[in-house]
Amino acid sequence: CNQLAVKLQKGEYVLRDDARAATLFDRACTGGVAPGCASLGVVYQRGRGVRRDSARGLSLLQKGCEQGAMDGCARLGMLYRKGAGVPMDLPRAVALFQQSCERGDTDGCAHLGALYASGEGVSQDPTRAAGLLTRACDAKVALGCLGLGRLHATGTGVPKNDSSAAAFFKSACESKETEGCFQRAILLEAGQGVTQNFDLAADLYRDACEDAHGESCARLAGLYDKGAGVSRQPEHAVTLRKRACGYGYKEACVKPAAPAPKAAA
């Protein structure tokens, strides 16, 4: 039941059916299948095929984690890290990520690596972060590739290498990680570690902007101002900056200075 639910949720070899997937995850969970509980918890957290119920979702994630579903532990860690539906508790988030990573869940490794990279909830350790993020990226976890790209871009815990950073950002982007697409676009716009390509940069910024990534909207506006990779359209650039501001990118909210008054004749 759990395996069929996964295929129904993804639309893999069958028509996608979120409601039926939720029913089957519920049946699997009732039958003692821990991953079914964890998956059903995510379903209730997101409201996919069921009415959204964060409290029930949290309870199911806890149940799945306690019964050995390490992806449930990792997702529970994400909630405690953000304080989403539960009080923010970084030590508990770290413990959950550690537990899931040690027991083979590479998503947990990616999140734990991100904490060691930033020093959030743990002592900052770029070398350990690089090891954890590499493990996650090797397993095609987008967050791991994104974090590894950032380390290579800054030379933190690994040698600075713009080409490697670009490759990792590309991997993250191809796995539908919006921030990875944004970071890749920055390098393409600058020709840093890759051949400069304004057209592709504009496409990536546009897609990320559609995903409500404010800074991508602002950078796309800059391309429209210059006519780089797109036709020059200053009016559209203004619209994009308004979107960027609405998405929370404060730098785009600054109003342009008023033109100086003309001198009297």
Side-chain angles (χ1 to χ4, degrees), residues 133-151:
L133 293 170
T134 298
R135 180 178 171 186
C137 185
D138 286 346
K140 309 299 182 185
V141 177
L143 182 63
C145 296
L146 171 63
L148 205 50
R150 285 171 167 160
L151 295 184

Side-chain angles (χ1 to χ4, degrees), residues 2-220:
N2 185 67
Q3 291 174 0
L4 179 56
V6 170
K7 293 187 182 298
L8 286 165
Q9 196 175 59
K10 294 180 179 178
E12 187 177 293
Y13 306 118
V14 291
L15 290 175
R16 179 172 170 175
D17 189 336
D18 288 330
R20 190 178 176 207
T23 299
L24 290 174
F25 281 137
D26 194 2
R27 186 181 300 177
C29 180
T30 301
V33 179
C37 299
S39 295
L40 187 61
V42 175
V43 164
Y44 275 103
Q45 288 279 321
R46 296 177 176 174
R48 289 180 60 181
V50 295
R51 180 174 293 181
R52 186 175 180 182
D53 187 336
S54 297
R56 186 172 182 187
L58 175 64
S59 176
L60 285 161
L61 286 174
Q62 290 173 330
K63 181 177 180 179
C65 178
E66 289 167 0
Q67 293 182 355
M70 291 302 103
D71 61 326
C73 296
R75 288 188 176 277
L76 202 54
M78 292 166 62
L79 298 182
Y80 280 105
R81 179 184 180 185
K82 298 176 182 177
V86 292
M88 183 182 288
D89 188 337
L90 284 176
R92 187 166 185 187
V94 171
L96 287 164
F97 291 145
Q98 182 81 41
Q99 177 185 353
S100 62
C101 180
E102 288 178 349
R103 295 181 62 179
D105 184 78
T106 46
D107 282 323
C109 297
H111 286 288
L112 186 60
L115 294 183
Y116 275 107
S118 64
E120 184 182 350
V122 292
S123 297
Q124 192 171 30
D125 188 338
T127 302
R128 186 170 184 186
L132 289 163
L133 293 170
T134 298
R135 180 178 171 186
C137 185
D138 286 346
K140 309 299 182 185
V141 177
L143 182 63
C145 296
L146 171 63
L148 205 50
R150 285 171 167 160
L151 295 184
H152 279 281
T154 59
T156 305
V158 293
K160 179 173 169 53
N161 188 317
D162 290 333
S163 296
S164 293
F168 287 123
F169 289 145
K170 181 179 179 181
S171 294
C173 182
E174 289 173 345
S175 296
K176 311 301 182 185
E177 172 60 57
T178 298
E179 183 67 21
C181 297
F182 168 69
Q183 294 294 340
R184 184 186 178 202
I186 290 176
L187 297 184
L188 285 164
E189 182 182 359
Q192 189 174 339
V194 290
T195 302
Q196 192 172 48
N197 188 330
F198 289 116
D199 291 352
L200 182 53
D203 287 341
L204 291 169
Y205 284 142
R206 187 177 295 107
D207 289 344
C209 179
E210 291 299 321
D211 283 341
H213 192 284
E215 191 172 354
S216 290
C217 300
R219 284 184 172 269
L220 182 58

